[in-house]
Amino acid sequence: MRADDIDDAWGRATARMVGLELTDEQLPGVIANLIRTAQIAAPVMALPLSGEDELGPIWRPEGSCR
């Protein structure tokens, strides 16, 4: 997700997908945080991966489902 693609409609739709309903007062802060997170993640996501790169281990708390 690019920071430029994040808007109110995307924020509300994404919140609904995880079971959250945002108030009009909450939405600007949520959008600001999503945009900043996308900006921070962009350089990492742009790094090329080679065929030798491997996934790191995945930690799951005991008793959690997949």
Side-chain angles (χ1 to χ4, degrees), residues 58-66:
I58 299 173
W59 178 83
R60 289 189 177 87
E62 192 172 317
S64 68
C65 16
R66 288 185 157 236

Side-chain angles (χ1 to χ4, degrees), residues 14-33:
T14 303
R16 277 193 300 275
M17 286 192 311
V18 295
L20 299 174
E21 283 297 326
L22 299 175
T23 66
D24 291 340
E25 294 78 27
Q26 294 169 320
L27 189 60
V30 170
I31 296 299
N33 280 297

Side-chain angles (χ1 to χ4, degrees), residues 29-51:
V30 170
I31 296 299
N33 280 297
L34 289 171
I35 289 171
R36 186 65 186 134
T37 301
Q39 291 168 337
I40 291 167
V44 175
M45 297 302 291
L47 290 173
L49 297 176
S50 74

